[in-house]
């Protein structure tokens, strides 16, 4: 089974074929991605690129454009002042499926 390290949105992901990845939110209207691979693992053979492996392309399709992550709660507290403030945040992600590594 082929695996590849790809760079999407400034972050590196280890991807294999037919795998679904949750990546940072992609621009609206993006249906397909095609990117190079920084590293390719094919069985016992490992190829490292400088910066990308020549001739290797990773194709992916967008399954869902916008998915919300888990809620993160942030609490600010001042001791002895009886002051606290609670806020929350939900990061937005895109789901992509790796179609092929060639």
């Amino acid at each position: 089974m082929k695996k590849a390290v790809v760079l999407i949105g400034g972050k590196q992901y280890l991807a294999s074929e037919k795998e679904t990845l949750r990546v940072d939110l992609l621009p609206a209207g993006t249906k397909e991605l095609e990117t190079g691979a920084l590293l390719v693992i094919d069985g016992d053979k490992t190829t490292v690129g400088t910066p990308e492996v020549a001739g290797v392309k990773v194709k992916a399709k967008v399954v869902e454009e916008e998915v919300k992550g888990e809620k993160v709660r942030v609490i600010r507290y001042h001791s002895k002042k009886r002051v606290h403030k609670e806020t929350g945040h939900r990061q937005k992600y895109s789901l992509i499926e790796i179609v092929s590594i060639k």
Side-chain angles (χ1 to χ4, degrees), residues 31-93:
K31 300 292 180 195
E32 293 183 353
L33 289 173
E34 185 172 325
T35 183
L38 304 174
L39 177 127
V40 176
I41 302 168
D42 190 9
D44 295 334
K45 184 180 174 188
T46 303
T47 308
V48 180
T50 54
E52 292 183 350
V53 179
V56 176
K57 291 292 179 190
V58 178
K59 291 186 179 183
K61 67 177 182 177
V62 176
V63 178
E64 287 189 51
E65 284 190 29
E66 188 173 316
V67 177
K68 287 187 178 179
E70 306 84 37
K71 184 148 191 161
V72 178
R73 296 199 177 272
V74 181
I75 299 173
R76 294 177 58 204
Y77 176 76
H78 296 277
S79 62
K80 301 177 187 157
K81 304 268 193 252
R82 296 185 184 177
V83 174
H84 70 277
K85 184 175 184 179
E86 183 176 343
T87 58
H89 175 74
R90 289 185 75 178
Q91 186 71 32
K92 294 180 182 176
Y93 298 101

Side-chain angles (χ1 to χ4, degrees), residues 3-6 18 20-21 39-40 70 84 93:
K3 292 186 178 183
V5 175
V6 294
K18 308 291 187 236
T20 303
L21 295 176
L39 177 127
V40 176
E70 306 84 37
H84 70 277
Y93 298 101

